Amino acid sequence: MSGRVRRVDAGAWRDPADVFASLFGGETFAFWLDSGPYAVEGMSYIGSASASSQLITADVSSGTVTTSWPERPDRGMTVEAASVFDVLAADIGDGRGDGGFDLGWVGWFGYELAAATTGAPVADARTPDAAWLLVERMIAFDHRARTVTLVARESDDAESWIERTRAALQAVEPRAPRARQRSTTEPRWRHDATHYAQLIERAHESIRRGDAYQLCLTNEIRIDIAPDPVDVYLDLRASNPVHHGGLLRFGDIALLSASPEQFLHIERGIVTTKPIKGTRPRGASGAEDAALRDELLASDKERAENVMIVDLMRNDLGRIAERGSVTVPVLLDVESYSNVHQLVSTVRAEIPPTAEPLDVVAAAFPAGSMTGAPKIRALSILHELEGGPRGIYAGAFGYLSRTGAVDLAMVIRSIVIDPHGVSIGTGGGITALSVAADEIEETRVKVRALLAVLGVDDRDDPAGPNPLIR
């Protein structure tokens, strides 16, 4: 990328939700990296494809990267044998500048890229194994300063875009509440409760043999509906606010995420990851809620599970970080969200001058909190157990700034809409202390808010009630 970046004050504060719905709700290629409806710090970024925007997608099975121009279909597309990490790395900086998104790429790395980063076996996904949109203009919201800034790379029409967008922002009106639609469509679970319990037992057998210490076993829900991504995401962020949310709409595929977990943050030569392992639902009363939080923090099983993943992430980052720079500044903290309490730790490291940001991403991907330990063996076992692809779920999404700054969240608590319907992934870490009924209930707790915004009944599978759920 070349050309000076212009930044123009857009005037008074506007709610990002109103701005996205009004200015970008009808765009086919649009993004919203969202700090949440109640954010008092952090940044949100909103934008769409411009005439010069490239879209690159990756296919792990063929080892190819495809480049197209969403707003210029007349330019056709190119396909090359390449790594998506190498293609992206050629277009971003070294990650030693200031943080924040200073234009660059927005998109996702799907879970099946594990084949490229680890050599593990994977299934063929329905969606691209990676998809990244080149962003050359956007609206940036600073939640602490309460400012709205138009950011655009200089081009023949940059000034025109700035003036049009500034005028459009002044006309944005608050969005009227939407009545949530109910669906009679029944969700289909890849593994019903009985089969999932059997998979948990097989995972236990692997652990008893010493093949793994922990396995992040997942399930998938498919629903035959075609909801509007913008309406559903606006409902999702209102009912399940988080600091790493996002809506990415790339053609006929949309990712709607209420992710609570940061995968990697890179700026000024420092990489941070915040793995989550350990979950409890929120309580119906203050006393019950506090008791559940305390139970999570005191659980030997949950604490051991979290520490295992901390060690795994320390190992992943240690392979590429400056020697002796890997630290754990926070261990076993509890973060509370609208539907769950989570056990969270923080791992930090310094990036050596010889490493680029995408080298760090590739070294740590997929995140240990979504695989188990040891990672390579866990990936192979999970491939055998799960019986299908995870797709975008369990991957990572966010931005790769032109400066080399990186902010990627885990694709969890997320909805994917594609031409065949809706999919939701859910799962949990299986250890020697795991109880099948508890693990199955955890998978349901994690998807309850997602099913609710889709208007779908919360049920385990169409065959009937789950006898393992308490």
Side-chain angles (χ1 to χ4, degrees), residues 108 127 221-223 225-229 231-237 239-240 246-248 253-259 392-393 397 410-418 421-425 446-456:
W108 73 73
T127 50
I221 305 169
R222 294 286 296 173
I223 312 166
I225 55 177
D228 179 84
D231 286 342
V232 173
Y233 182 69
L234 290 171
D235 278 358
L236 179 61
R237 77 188 292 267
S239 64
N240 198 43
L247 168 56
L248 307 184
I253 300 172
L255 168 63
L256 292 58
S257 184
S259 176
I392 306 174
Y393 168 66
F397 78 97
M410 293 302 310
V411 182
I412 57 175
R413 320 295 152 79
S414 300
I415 296 167
V416 175
I417 303 173
D418 63 34
V422 167
S423 63
I424 300 172
K446 289 175 175 176
V447 299
R448 197 159 288 149
L450 307 177
L451 292 173
V453 298
L454 292 166
V456 175

Side-chain angles (χ1 to χ4, degrees), residues 72-223:
R72 289 288 307 277
D74 57 296
R75 298 186 65 174
M77 63 178 59
T78 62
V79 181
E80 59 180 318
S83 158
V84 67
F85 297 106
D86 291 341
V87 172
L88 290 166
D91 204 35
I92 67 172
D94 63 7
R96 299 184 186 281
D98 292 340
F101 185 34
D102 194 28
L103 301 179
W105 298 87
V106 169
W108 73 73
F109 295 116
Y111 173 81
E112 274 67 38
L113 274 183
T117 58
T118 69
V122 297
D124 289 333
R126 292 179 297 271
T127 50
D129 296 314
W132 290 87
L133 178 71
L134 178 62
V135 176
E136 301 212 302
R137 55 188 59 164
M138 66 182 180
I139 306 173
F141 300 80
D142 185 324
H143 292 275
R144 175 176 291 177
R146 301 288 284 180
T147 58
V148 182
T149 304
L150 304 182
V151 186
R153 188 168 304 285
E154 273 198 346
S155 64
D156 293 340
D157 65 341
E159 183 64 32
S160 172
W161 177 82
I162 288 171
E163 292 306 315
R164 291 195 316 271
T165 306
R166 185 156 49 184
L169 283 170
Q170 306 312 308
V172 167
E173 297 289 342
R175 174 178 173 269
R178 180 183 74 97
R180 186 175 294 171
Q181 302 297 309
R182 299 296 303 169
S183 173
T184 58
T185 303
E186 294 183 333
R188 304 188 311 278
W189 290 70
R190 177 180 288 164
H191 309 292
D192 65 22
T194 300
H195 188 218
Y196 198 71
Q198 293 168 353
L199 296 180
I200 292 171
E201 176 53 32
R202 289 173 60 187
H204 275 148
E205 291 171 0
S206 294
I207 292 169
R208 286 194 292 268
R209 287 195 302 267
D211 296 333
Y213 308 113
Q214 180 189 125
L215 294 166
C216 183
L217 184 65
T218 74
N219 207 345
E220 183 189 58
I221 305 169
R222 294 286 296 173
I223 312 166

Side-chain angles (χ1 to χ4, degrees), residues 44-83:
S44 292
Y45 303 101
I46 288 175
S48 63
S50 60
S52 56
S53 292
Q54 301 173 43
L55 178 73
I56 66 169
T57 57
D59 184 328
V60 168
S61 62
S62 64
T64 58
V65 173
T66 299
T67 302
S68 59
W69 287 261
E71 299 299 311
R72 289 288 307 277
D74 57 296
R75 298 186 65 174
M77 63 178 59
T78 62
V79 181
E80 59 180 318
S83 158

Side-chain angles (χ1 to χ4, degrees), residues 379-440:
L379 286 164
S380 297
I381 295 170
L382 292 167
H383 174 67
E384 296 175 5
L385 295 180
E386 293 181 353
R390 294 187 185 182
I392 306 174
Y393 168 66
F397 78 97
Y399 69 70
L400 309 171
S401 175
R402 61 187 295 273
T403 64
V406 172
D407 197 357
L408 298 174
M410 293 302 310
V411 182
I412 57 175
R413 320 295 152 79
S414 300
I415 296 167
V416 175
I417 303 173
D418 63 34
H420 306 289
V422 167
S423 63
I424 300 172
T426 183
I430 307 303
T431 69
L433 299 177
S434 294
V435 176
D438 294 341
E439 296 297 337
I440 295 169

Side-chain angles (χ1 to χ4, degrees), residues 34 43 59 97 132 203 210 212 247 259 261 272 310 315 329 375 426 431 463:
D34 181 16
M43 301 290 296
D59 184 328
W132 290 87
L247 168 56
S259 176
E261 182 172 357
T272 303
V310 167
N315 179 70
K375 180 185 282 188
T426 183
T431 69

